[in-house]
């Protein structure tokens, strides 16, 4: 790679025709991925990246975004306001979802039921005393008669 006097890499002039650069930029603005653009234009992903990283291209994209923000977003907001005033149910629901006031059922944090009782400590104590694993009925009896400890629950093992 060529370097200038300060040791910085020189930018190589693009050999991609201007028409193709314009198509690449347009495809990107329409939401296509770099990989899709490269495949459709029959060029490498690096070439697509070089075209999109050009200062002129960046200015062009920024200009289009500014136009959208200045002109189209206010129109969309006015349109949405009119729909909401007419009690449009779909517009209302989509607005609430978009603003994250409502969430999908899958997004709701699952609340566990009552903590489940475990006998891990009791099982270990029983094994230590008798040298064998206990039956469940033996665990309850052993815990009532032999141990003076608080029962362990799965919820108690989870740190907040």
């Amino acid at each position: 790679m060529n370097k200038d006097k300060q040791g910085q890499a020189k930018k190589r002039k693009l050999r991609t025709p201007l028409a193709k650069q314009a198509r690449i930029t347009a495809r990107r603005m329409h939401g296509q991925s770099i990989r899709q653009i490269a495949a459709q234009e029959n060029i490498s992903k690096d070439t697509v990246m070089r075209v999109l990283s050009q200062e002129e291209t960046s200015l062009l994209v920024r200009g289009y975004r500014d136009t959208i923000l200045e002109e189209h977003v206010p129109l969309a907001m006015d349109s949405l306001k009119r729909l909401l005033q007419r009690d449009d149910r779909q517009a209302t629901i989509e607005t609430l979802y978009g603003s994250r006031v409502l969430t999908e059922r899958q997004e709701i944090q699952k609340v566990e039921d009552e903590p489940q009782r475990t006998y891990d400590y009791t099982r270990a104590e029983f094994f230590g005393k008798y040298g064998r694993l206990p039956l469940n009925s033996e665990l309850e009896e052993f815990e009532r008669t032999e141990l003076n400890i608080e029962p362990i629950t799965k919820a108690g093992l989870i740190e907040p």
Side-chain angles (χ1 to χ4, degrees):
M1 183 181 297
N2 295 335
K3 295 188 177 195
D4 62 9
K5 291 180 183 178
Q6 287 81 25
Q8 296 176 352
K10 286 184 181 178
K11 280 196 173 181
R12 169 175 113 184
K13 185 175 180 183
L14 282 175
R15 292 184 229 137
T16 309
L18 289 176
K20 188 173 270 197
Q21 289 181 36
R23 285 196 310 270
I24 291 169
T25 304
R27 289 179 188 275
R28 187 62 173 166
M29 290 173 56
H30 283 355
Q32 287 187 346
S33 71
I34 291 174
R35 181 175 281 139
Q36 289 172 329
I37 297 168
Q40 290 177 351
E41 292 292 331
N42 199 25
I43 56 176
S44 74
K45 291 185 293 184
D46 291 337
T47 302
V48 173
M49 291 296 294
R50 273 196 302 276
V51 168
L52 294 175
S53 69
Q54 294 296 311
E55 188 173 341
E56 298 85 13
T57 304
S58 297
L59 289 173
L60 180 66
V61 170
R62 200 169 311 134
Y64 282 127
R65 286 187 182 144
D66 289 346
T67 300
I68 289 170
L69 288 174
E70 291 171 6
E71 296 176 14
H72 300 286
V73 171
L75 291 174
M77 296 301 287
D78 288 341
S79 201
L80 178 60
K81 183 179 177 182
R82 286 191 300 276
L83 286 171
L84 293 173
Q85 287 171 341
R86 282 190 270 153
D87 293 329
D88 185 305
R89 183 170 184 246
Q90 186 65 33
T92 303
I93 291 170
E94 292 299 325
T95 301
L96 293 173
Y97 275 128
S99 61
R100 307 292 289 166
V101 172
L102 292 179
T103 56
E104 297 285 339
R105 278 194 163 165
Q106 296 88 337
E107 296 174 19
I108 297 172
Q109 183 179 4
K110 183 181 176 192
V111 178
E112 289 190 26
D113 295 334
E114 288 293 317
Q116 294 178 348
R117 176 75 175 86
T118 67
Y119 293 96
D120 295 338
Y121 185 80
T122 309
R123 187 173 280 116
E125 287 292 320
F126 187 96
F127 185 81
K129 186 171 182 177
Y130 297 107
R132 66 178 179 82
L133 291 175
L135 301 171
N136 286 339
S137 59
E138 292 175 318
L139 283 175
E140 292 175 25
E141 182 63 30
F142 181 76
E143 188 172 81
R144 267 187 270 140
T145 58
E146 302 285 332
L147 300 175
N148 294 325
I149 59 168
E150 291 293 317
I152 298 173
T153 62
K154 286 185 180 178
L157 298 175
I158 301 170
E159 292 184 29

